[in-house]
Amino acid sequence: DAGVIQSPRHEVTEMGQEVTLRCKPISGHNSLFWYRQTMMRGLELLIYFNNNVPIDDSGMPEDRFSAKMPNASFSTLKIQPSEPRDSAVYFCASSLGDPEQFFGPGTRLTVL
Amino acid sequence: GESVGLHLPTLSVQEGDNSIINCAYSNSASDYFIWYKQESGKGPQFIIDIRSNMDKRQGQRVTVLLNKTVKHLSLQIAATQPGDSAVYFCAENIRMRDMRFGAGTRLTVKP
């Protein structure tokens, strides 16, 4: 199994631009999580999906952030418009009903 | 005002020694705990878990101890190796939505 796949691995963009982060969970997993990691705040859960349905998005910082999961093998996290304070490493994780989550390698986002 | 980042606790051990990493959790209703290891440039990786009805669980070279009375969790690594150098997170879970990660501890293994 290839594990959780995230793309791009690195993204550098200018303030105001739209950013789309992508995630392919482990095949067969029914839960998907988006996290943000910064030095200031550590690892924060943004949103999670169960069977492609958003269950809890209370961690999404504001309306500029949105996440979708159109099918069981793909999810996106979009930031529009991006701001410098959005700079962070964004992780996607998936699980199969268990609390144990399998993390992807992350996308390092830099907003200039 | 001045912004303050997370100041990760650090632990430095000699190769071959045992390491003990501690974690205080916040919610007495948490029923499941996981230790993750995060190497530089990678995502967190599962190490070992323990349910709240247990006090101790052992894996390969790792042991997790749970003290619910004081809401304390520890990870013991036997015969620490250079490859163990990483940031270690504890995570507590009530329901899937309530997975909370601690700030992490940076372990450095000196050869």
Side-chain angles (χ1 to χ4, degrees), chain A residues 9 31 33 35 37-43 45 48 55-56 91 95 97-106, chain B residues 3-8 32 34 36 38 41-46 49 51 89 93 96-99 101-103:
Chain A
R9 292 295 309 277
S31 294
F33 307 81
Y35 289 88
Q37 187 175 43
T38 62
M39 286 299 296
M40 290 290 292
R41 301 174 66 90
L43 195 61
L45 176 65
Y48 86 92
I55 301 300
D56 187 352
F91 288 103
S95 72
D98 294 330
E100 179 188 351
Q101 299 172 20
F102 295 81
F103 283 77
Chain B
S3 59
V4 179
L6 285 176
H7 295 285
L8 289 183
Y32 188 82
I34 302 178
Y36 283 91
Q38 186 175 21
K42 297 183 179 179
Q45 179 184 12
F46 172 90
D49 59 356
R51 296 195 179 275
F89 295 94
N93 176 258
M96 195 72 77
R97 68 178 65 190
D98 284 326
M99 176 71 78
F101 285 80

Side-chain angles (χ1 to χ4, degrees), chain B residues 24-94:
Chain B
Y25 63 94
S26 57
N27 197 321
S28 57
S30 296
D31 57 6
Y32 188 82
F33 305 87
I34 302 178
W35 279 100
Y36 283 91
K37 171 186 180 183
Q38 186 175 21
E39 296 175 278
S40 180
K42 297 183 179 179
Q45 179 184 12
F46 172 90
I47 302 174
I48 191 169
D49 59 356
I50 188 168
R51 296 195 179 275
S52 60
N53 60 354
M54 302 171 68
D55 297 321
K56 179 179 179 179
R57 188 155 190 233
Q58 286 185 289
Q60 187 177 21
R61 278 201 312 119
V62 295
T63 301
V64 56
L65 299 178
L66 175 63
N67 185 331
K68 295 181 289 294
T69 302
V70 295
K71 293 189 286 187
H72 182 268
L73 200 64
S74 69
L75 177 70
Q76 301 177 3
I77 305 174
T80 314
Q81 303 168 0
D84 296 327
S85 294
V87 176
Y88 290 81
F89 295 94
C90 67
E92 59 180 308
N93 176 258
I94 304 173

Side-chain angles (χ1 to χ4, degrees), chain A residues 91-111:
Chain A
F91 288 103
C92 176
S94 70
S95 72
L96 181 58
D98 294 330
E100 179 188 351
Q101 299 172 20
F102 295 81
F103 283 77
T107 295
R108 181 173 294 276
L109 173 65
T110 303
V111 183

